[in-house]
Amino acid sequence: MPEPEREPTAYLSAVPLREVLAHPELQLLQIAGPSDDRPVAMVHTTEWEDPTQYLLGGELLLTAGRHLPAAAEEIDSYVRRLVRVGVAALGFGVAPVHAEVPAELVEACDREGLPLLRVPPQTPFVAIGRAVYLAMAEARSRDLQRMSQAQAALASAAARPDAVEAVLRQLASHLGAWTLLMDGDGRELFTAGRRPAEPMPERLRALAGDLGARRRSAVDRQLAIRTPGSATEHHCGTQLVAHTLPGGDTATPLVLGLVTSAQLSAVDRSVTGVGVVLLSLLTGPRHALGGDTRSAAALVRVLLGADAAEVATLLHPATALPDPAGPARWVVVQGRRTAVVDGSQPPSAPVHVAALGTALGTPYLEIEGDTLCAVVPLDDRGSDVEGGAAPGFETTARLGWTLGISPPATAADLPLAANRAERALRRALGTGSHVVHHNGDQLSLHALVAPVDARALAHTRFAPLIEAGSPGLEALLDTLRTWLSLHGSWDRTAIALDLHRNTVRQRIGRIATLLDVDLADADVRMELWFALRWLPGEDESA
């Protein structure tokens, strides 16, 4: 029975055969076999009739033919054995045993597809080994440098607000490939690089779908074996690779896909592995939680009736520091998706939620439809937010969201902060801004009026609206508040409230009639704005 063929051992920094042939001092000449540029992983000298048990694959095997068989059939068998173990090339030294390379060996190498090199008498075998190993050292240095550069670029990309897309772009650049992040069924989420022509994208999606189906089948059967985490397919000179991302949903994991015209090298595979790890961290359900045990403890306390201040001591990063400078503070973010940037996936898709969590710097967010609500802990006591910097908030516009940001608040004031963030969002929608910060802590005339008197005034002023009927008191007050905050703009108010312009006009006119006021009068508008801020549930200090 013939021996099974062995694959050549993969080495980090093999040298292409063309570099060995091109070395000026060696004067090697290929006289048989294919001219493909196969890698040379090592140099080995032997005079054994059957050296295969001492070979790993990838060798440039050197021999002077001292024990080379004489019969053509035996030479064929010798060459076939070398091919089976994955020898990269055979180097035959002429003199002192053979004056020239035997013709039978040349014919056998041509038949079996083994490159045959003629080594001239003036070239010692040790010189070939030295030249190859020096070239391998240089190649290794280049590979390590390339790997280091790629890893640094991927790490920097993972720190960006658009981390998932940035990592895919870096993978596409360093691998010379089209990169694609898919769900377990092969649906596209993010892509980077030059898109290949069909049928390559469809074949890659099918490969990812098959990989996901195998994993789901294994989960359904509760198998104790580890299902494949990657799959590769070669089609018309193109390599397609799919990797499942660990750490997410076991049944329907996300998949990283690659399409490249070049065979992935050991360095490419290492870079891909780094990308897989980073993407799994960026898209995992526990991304950015920091300390999951603390978050779980907070959930338990909420379920058992703990108040917000007690839970905040577990969730806020600053409380983990000894002697915090002051009470933990938070920022509430209200958002609405106003543009589709990535082109395909819904805002509730895990990868989009993870990208938003990265941009905002918090795992505590909820997405329902096209609306977003997030609570962001402030490690630095909110100095950046109060100063208007907050680069993470600004960059969420790239993900298609418009945001309203509350001022920093303690845990007990989070409901009030949510109200402020919602108003800031409406101003952002009305003015076409991507991000609006609510400035609620500035000094104002409200401090000059006794709270009891101000609340009594507000109740009396808006009492006629209580019996107004449809759409109800809250809707009318909300319309008036938004209209006043946008300086009486019908169009901006309609955009902020998602109403028709005529509906806004009708509501404002009805309010003016019920309150018996002239809303064209600036003094009247100022009085109503003042009174609105003192209604029950509002923040009288804002």
Side-chain angles (χ1 to χ4, degrees):
M1 178 179 291
E3 299 178 16
E5 294 190 9
R6 282 189 279 170
E7 291 292 332
T9 302
Y11 291 87
L12 179 63
S13 305
V15 178
L17 182 58
R18 57 179 168 78
E19 289 191 18
V20 181
L21 290 169
H23 197 289
E25 297 179 2
L26 300 181
Q27 299 181 13
L28 302 179
L29 178 65
Q30 183 173 349
I31 59 176
S35 57
D36 55 342
D37 197 16
R38 58 187 64 190
V40 175
M42 64 179 68
V43 178
H44 184 67
T45 301
T46 182
E47 297 299 338
W48 287 83
E49 291 183 14
D50 184 8
T52 54
Q53 60 180 321
Y54 303 108
L55 302 178
L56 296 173
E59 295 91 352
L60 170 55
L61 190 65
L62 302 178
T63 181
R66 181 176 298 276
H67 297 291
L68 185 70
E73 295 80 3
E74 293 179 351
I75 292 178
D76 285 345
S77 178
Y78 172 79
V79 172
R80 282 195 296 270
R81 289 195 297 269
L82 298 184
V83 171
R84 276 200 298 269
V85 297
V87 168
L90 177 63
F92 195 91
V94 296
V97 180
H98 296 270
E100 195 50 69
V101 181
E104 295 83 0
L105 182 60
V106 175
E107 294 171 1
C109 288
D110 275 330
R111 280 193 300 270
E112 301 300 330
L114 178 65
L116 177 61
L117 313 184
R118 180 185 185 276
V119 182
Q122 66 272 22
T123 301
F125 284 179
V126 69
I128 299 175
R130 180 178 61 185
V132 169
Y133 290 127
L134 285 175
M136 289 177 62
E138 294 176 357
R140 179 176 177 80
S141 177
R142 291 193 301 268
D143 287 346
L144 291 176
Q145 183 178 13
R146 180 184 165 216
M147 190 183 303
S148 176
Q149 291 173 345
Q151 290 175 349
L154 287 170
S156 297
R160 291 172 53 92
D162 57 338
V164 174
E165 297 167 279
V167 168
L168 287 176
R169 287 195 297 268
Q170 288 298 329
L171 283 175
S173 174
H174 286 276
L175 300 178
W178 181 57
T179 58
L180 167 65
L181 188 63
M182 301 168 277
D183 63 17
D185 295 318
R187 288 186 291 266
E188 296 185 14
L189 301 176
F190 289 108
T191 66
R194 184 175 181 180
R195 187 183 187 91
E198 292 292 351
M200 297 308 171
E202 181 60 34
R203 293 183 74 94
L204 180 61
R205 289 191 292 269
L207 186 65
D210 292 342
L211 186 60
R214 290 199 298 271
R215 291 179 65 88
R216 286 194 296 274
S217 176
V219 171
D220 292 341
R221 298 194 305 269
Q222 296 183 345
L223 295 180
I225 61 174
R226 181 178 179 181
T227 56
S230 63
T232 302
E233 178 182 326
H234 297 271
H235 181 72
C236 299
T238 300
Q239 185 175 10
L240 298 86
V241 182
H243 290 275
T244 56
L245 302 187
D249 188 337
T250 304
T252 57
L254 297 177
V255 179
L256 169 66
L258 306 173
V259 177
T260 176
S261 58
Q263 185 77 14
L264 293 180
S265 66
V267 175
D268 294 332
R269 291 192 292 272
S270 177
V271 171
T272 303
V274 174
V276 168
V277 172
L278 289 175
L279 289 172
S280 67
L281 292 174
L282 292 169
T283 58
R286 301 182 188 276
H287 171 57
L289 282 177
D292 186 63
T293 56
R294 296 170 63 86
S295 300
L299 176 60
V300 170
R301 292 195 186 185
V302 169
L303 294 175
L304 296 178
D307 58 27
E310 181 182 352
V311 172
T313 61
L314 289 173
L315 297 182
H316 202 288
T319 60
L321 300 175
D323 258 339
R329 293 205 289 173
W330 307 72
V331 162
V332 176
V333 180
Q334 301 279 9
R336 186 179 298 176
R337 199 183 197 206
T338 52
V340 179
V341 176
D342 51 62
S344 56
Q345 87 277 7
S348 58
V351 66
H352 192 87
V353 175
L356 279 175
T358 303
L360 296 174
T362 181
Y364 311 119
L365 70 165
E366 176 188 15
I367 296 178
E368 183 176 357
D370 287 332
T371 63
L372 159 72
C373 182
V375 182
V376 182
L378 301 178
D379 291 336
D380 58 359
R381 304 297 180 267
S383 58
D384 286 344
V385 175
E386 292 170 311
F393 299 146
E394 300 294 340
T395 52
T396 51
R398 295 189 57 187
L399 297 174
W401 292 85
T402 296
L403 301 181
I405 314 297
S406 78
T410 62
D413 293 330
L414 284 178
L416 178 59
N419 197 0
R420 290 175 163 186
E422 179 64 29
R423 294 180 190 172
L425 172 61
R426 290 179 181 174
R427 287 204 298 274
L429 293 170
T431 58
S433 304
H434 292 303
V435 179
V436 168
H437 294 257
H438 188 291
N439 297 318
D441 293 334
Q442 297 176 349
L443 294 177
S444 68
L445 292 176
H446 293 275
L448 303 178
V449 181
V452 174
D453 296 336
R455 281 191 287 268
L457 170 64
H459 178 77
T460 302
R461 199 71 187 86
F462 295 110
L465 300 183
I466 296 176
E467 305 297 333
S470 179
L473 173 65
E474 291 302 323
L476 291 176
L477 290 175
D478 209 21
T479 303
L480 177 61
R481 182 186 298 109
T482 305
W483 182 74
L484 290 174
S485 71
L486 295 172
H487 309 291
S489 171
W490 308 110
D491 292 330
R492 292 179 178 179
T493 304
I495 292 172
L497 297 176
D498 197 19
L499 297 173
H500 193 277
R501 187 173 185 269
N502 291 339
T503 302
V504 175
R505 281 184 173 273
Q506 182 184 31
R507 289 185 181 182
I508 295 300
R510 189 175 180 190
I511 292 170
T513 300
L514 291 171
L515 298 182
D516 191 22
V517 294
D518 179 10
L519 290 177
D521 189 330
D523 289 337
V524 172
R525 294 197 300 271
M526 180 182 66
E527 177 193 348
L528 293 178
W529 181 252
F530 180 92
L532 280 169
R533 306 290 286 274
W534 287 90
L535 287 174
E538 301 289 338
D539 176 25
E540 58 269 14
S541 65

